[in-house]
Amino acid sequence: MTTTVGHAHPALAPITLGGLALRNRYAVAPMTRVSAAPDGTPTGEMADYYAEFARGGFGLVFSEGTYPDTAASQGYLNQPGLARDEHVAGWRVVTAGVRAAGGRMIAQLMHAGAIAQGNPYQGHTVGPSAVRPRREMMPAYGGSGPWPVPRELTVAEIDGVVDGFAAAARRAREAGFDGVEVHAANGYLLDQFLTDYTNLRTDSYGGSVAGRIRLTARVVTAVAEAVPDLVTGVRLSQTKVNDFTYRWPGGRDDAEVIFAAVAEAGADYLHIASEGRNWLETAKLADGGTITALARQVTGLPVIANGGMHDLTQAREVLAGEHADVLSIGHGALANPDLPARVAAAEPLAEFDRAMVSPTVTVANARRWRESRQA
């Protein structure tokens, strides 16, 4: 990994994100850890896990994807929720630890939709249309075999989804979060509505890209209105956990419609995800520009870039080239929970070891990995 430029790195400069003052531009990306109690309540081990990143200097910490309701939104067993009072109490311990260490924390709200593979509240999955998701369930998250065909959501049920996000946003405020991010990326429900081959609807939620982004825009507005005192963001991606090659079919034209819609809906920032790929691999447009820079140009809002941002050279280029304003880091943060402190001190970064998330992605598995290395 590139480790030069140390304390002079632009990622160490402070920034304000939608009114939220951050000590630097390093954020811990939302990463599913399926380590909550069976009822979705965050645990003490999770509180330690999140606080470690703040102690290591990260200005912003995102929660993992958190389900907003007790209907069809939960995607994985032992996924945390923000749907019940006990969830709020559990998250309050987590956010307090992050804040005490000087960090800020945003709750990412996620409805899994058709790619739910563990939901004790429902015996079926739902989606924009009755289309079986591509590929198969993910063993690292407790699934196996093909996805079931989801049941198509009715318009009344879509209204319920929107209400669920708004209610969960209010619980996020009670739990001490500094903001709420609407997860409309990576193949989950809102992204299923945006994707042409999973959304075959002929009503106002389907058809053109303007129709397919409508549900995401509604959710963003509902969240922003529910918690006007918190930062509201939205995460978008072209790639998915079950389709790494997908790109918005209209390219730049689609992107402009999507970005403008969520900005008009009330988003304070956009978070562009790369689904485990290098940023440049998924961000490059046919005309040579990048999708993150386009998001900044279209909306005038801060943009968070994701994908290989632990590489100091790439991170510098992304910030200096005005491709993005904040960098969210996944695997690099797992390997270096003190990454900002290491960068400031010009210390080398550790390489990510896939054994940290194999055979499962849990916090306990990562702890066992660390203990084995220390033995």
Side-chain angles (χ1 to χ4, degrees):
M1 295 184 183
T2 305
T3 57
T4 58
V5 304
H7 64 280
H9 200 282
L12 297 174
I15 189 173
T16 299
L17 185 72
L20 182 63
L22 305 176
R23 59 187 172 187
N24 57 46
R25 294 163 188 255
Y26 278 124
V28 178
M31 291 178 280
T32 299
R33 305 315 305 269
V34 289
S35 297
D39 70 350
T41 301
T43 65
E45 186 172 49
M46 288 173 61
D48 292 340
Y49 161 77
Y50 282 111
E52 185 178 15
F53 294 116
R55 290 194 299 268
F58 280 93
L60 179 61
V61 179
F62 283 100
S63 82
E64 58 207 279
T66 302
Y67 65 86
D69 60 51
T70 55
S73 65
Q74 184 172 349
Y76 308 106
L77 297 177
N78 297 106
Q79 178 187 3
L82 265 169
R84 299 159 59 174
D85 290 344
E86 51 265 47
H87 298 163
V88 172
W91 277 119
R92 195 174 287 133
V93 177
V94 178
T95 60
V98 170
R99 184 171 290 108
R104 295 292 178 263
M105 192 165 187
I106 290 178
Q108 187 190 73
L109 298 181
M110 179 191 107
H111 192 305
I115 60 171
Q117 59 182 47
N119 184 342
Y121 299 110
Q122 290 281 0
H124 62 271
T125 59
V126 298
S129 303
V131 176
R132 187 187 303 277
R134 293 183 177 179
R135 300 180 66 180
E136 294 190 341
M137 296 186 193
M138 297 169 283
Y141 301 92
S144 63
W147 308 94
V149 176
R151 180 176 57 76
E152 181 175 311
L153 286 165
T154 66
V155 171
E157 287 172 326
I158 290 173
D159 291 340
V161 167
V162 176
D163 292 342
F165 271 93
R170 288 188 284 269
R171 294 188 194 96
R173 179 173 54 197
E174 293 175 32
F177 284 98
D178 299 290
V180 174
E181 179 170 280
V182 174
H183 196 352
N186 305 127
Y188 297 106
L189 181 70
L190 301 185
D191 188 42
Q192 291 158 27
F193 270 81
L194 180 55
T195 300
D196 57 352
Y197 67 77
T198 53
N199 184 348
L200 307 181
R201 301 177 73 97
T202 57
D203 61 10
S204 61
Y205 293 100
S208 69
V209 65
R212 300 197 311 273
I213 194 62
R214 181 174 177 228
L215 177 56
T216 297
R218 281 195 64 195
V219 170
V220 170
T221 296
V223 167
E225 291 179 349
V227 288
D229 50 328
L230 300 188
V231 172
T232 296
V234 58
R235 196 180 209 213
L236 298 161
S237 72
Q238 300 191 86
T239 54
K240 315 172 190 308
V241 295
N242 62 326
D243 186 349
F244 298 147
T245 63
Y246 183 76
R247 299 292 186 273
W248 293 329
R252 173 182 283 269
D253 291 343
D254 277 9
E256 290 180 350
V257 172
I258 292 164
F259 297 151
V262 296
E264 184 177 352
D268 293 311
Y269 71 83
L270 280 67
H271 187 175
I272 310 299
S274 63
E275 192 47 59
R277 271 59 192 162
N278 182 276
W279 163 79
L280 192 58
E281 179 184 340
T282 55
K284 202 78 169 178
L285 295 170
D287 61 8
T290 65
I291 200 161
T292 49
L294 179 63
R296 293 178 84 246
Q297 295 160 10
V298 169
T299 67
L301 297 173
V303 170
I304 303 175
N306 168 252
M309 294 303 162
H310 57 275
D311 182 281
L312 299 191
T313 298
Q314 175 171 272
R316 175 180 286 277
E317 292 172 352
V318 167
L319 294 174
E322 299 186 338
H323 296 282
D325 305 276
V326 176
L327 313 171
S328 78
I329 300 175
H331 288 166
L334 292 180
N336 303 273
D338 58 347
L339 185 146
R342 288 183 180 227
V343 173
E347 295 178 355
L349 302 181
E351 295 283 350
F352 171 73
D353 184 347
R354 187 152 292 279
M356 296 180 71
V357 293
S358 299
T360 63
V361 299
T362 62
V363 173
N365 186 77
R367 174 177 46 78
R368 287 191 292 268
W369 176 87
R370 285 196 300 270
E371 291 171 350
S372 70
R373 296 292 293 266
Q374 295 167 356

